[in-house]
Amino acid sequence: MMTLRHMEVFHAIMVTGSVTGAARLLNVTQPAISAVLKHAESRLNMKLFLRCGGRLQPTEEAHAIFPDVAAIFGRVHAVGRLAQDLVGGRLGTLSVAAAFPIANGYLAKAMASFLVERPHVRCTLQSLTSPQVLDRVINREVEMGLAHEPIVSSAVDTQELMSWSLACVMPNDHPLVERDEINVAELEPYPIITYQPQIVFRPFVDRAFSQAGIAPVIAIQVSIALTGIMLARFGAGVAIVDPQLVDSMGIPGVVVRKLRPRIEAKTLIIQPKDAPRSIIVNDFVDHLRKVIRDGEI
């Protein structure tokens, strides 16, 4: 029987045409190549090469077995290339679940630019509610999730991705567009669009109005920021929502103005607790942070 080492030396001699070439290819000495070849021929009880004029000539038996040996080393080299691609983050899969405004905003842009240099990486991006995102991560249906705080579960690890603030989104002909920032009290005369009571941000909006001593007209309540932004665009009122989709999606006809006092929130990266992080996931998190840091959203 030929061992893998026998096959390696035989393959190297066949490819290079000489013991010297095989030694150079395998980075060993010529005597080492000769010794392995002699042992292989002894084990097989047949000659693989004949010396003719100082050169090795493959026997008919060598020609017969070479295609199968070459196929084996073709697969070995393929495995090596695969390992290099995996280490370099150029091959593999990436599965992410994210809250709707995140998935359809800067995350979509970051994933698109991430894949430009990694065309062989295959991605899955699910757009969900924050509780659904947490559920997907806990059940390990995705490798990572992105959602707004609070995230409370002993089954996951979290780290802050970014902090941001709710803002006023209004049509570009609204009376308040001349202001760089808007105090909550100034919104009293205008219909307000904001989140439904069960949405995590709504209590903070209500508290801001209460502390300002006003009772605005909540004309429309929505479950996601995009709905509020589009309602504001069509003149239904001033939307107090996550404003990031305005820039990331390039929504025309509306402007964003800062709200005072600030209603701050954080976006968290969620991953299964104690689960190994793939190279692709780590590279993507770094890329996502860079996209946000460089203001590409």
Side-chain angles (χ1 to χ4, degrees), residues 12-144:
I13 296 173
M14 290 291 286
V15 168
T16 64
S18 68
V19 170
T20 302
R24 188 180 302 114
L25 180 64
L26 299 180
N27 196 29
V28 296
T29 64
Q30 293 182 43
I33 294 293
S34 298
V36 173
L37 175 58
K38 183 178 179 180
H39 189 254
E41 291 178 329
S42 174
R43 290 282 295 271
L44 291 171
N45 196 29
M46 68 179 181
K47 283 288 186 180
L48 295 173
F49 297 94
L50 299 175
R51 285 199 173 273
C52 300
R55 296 182 60 84
L56 290 181
Q57 293 293 332
T59 63
E60 290 299 320
E61 291 80 7
H63 283 298
I65 66 175
F66 178 67
D68 287 334
V69 173
I72 291 170
F73 281 91
R75 295 305 305 155
V76 170
H77 294 151
V79 170
R81 291 191 298 271
L82 173 62
Q84 289 180 341
D85 284 340
L86 290 171
V87 169
R90 295 182 297 272
L91 191 68
T93 61
L94 173 67
S95 56
V96 184
F100 180 87
I102 304 169
N104 294 279
Y106 55 82
L107 177 58
K109 285 194 172 185
M111 185 170 284
S113 57
F114 182 76
L115 293 178
V116 168
E117 297 180 357
R118 301 167 180 83
H120 299 296
V121 173
R122 296 294 174 259
C123 296
T124 301
L125 175 55
Q126 300 182 43
S127 179
L128 307 164
T129 65
S130 288
Q132 288 172 326
V133 170
L134 178 60
D135 182 68
R136 296 293 194 279
V137 174
I138 290 174
N139 290 311
R140 307 204 174 192
E141 297 175 37
V142 295
E143 294 168 280
M144 62 177 289

Side-chain angles (χ1 to χ4, degrees), residues 106-107 109-111 113-114 117-118 159-162 269 281-297:
Y106 55 82
L107 177 58
K109 285 194 172 185
M111 185 170 284
S113 57
F114 182 76
E117 297 180 357
R118 301 167 180 83
Q159 54 180 304
E160 182 179 335
L161 175 65
M162 62 182 297
I269 298 172
V281 169
N282 290 336
D283 286 351
F284 180 69
V285 170
D286 291 341
H287 178 75
L288 179 59
R289 289 188 184 280
K290 183 179 184 301
V291 168
I292 295 170
R293 185 172 62 250
D294 293 347
E296 297 176 17
I297 58 175

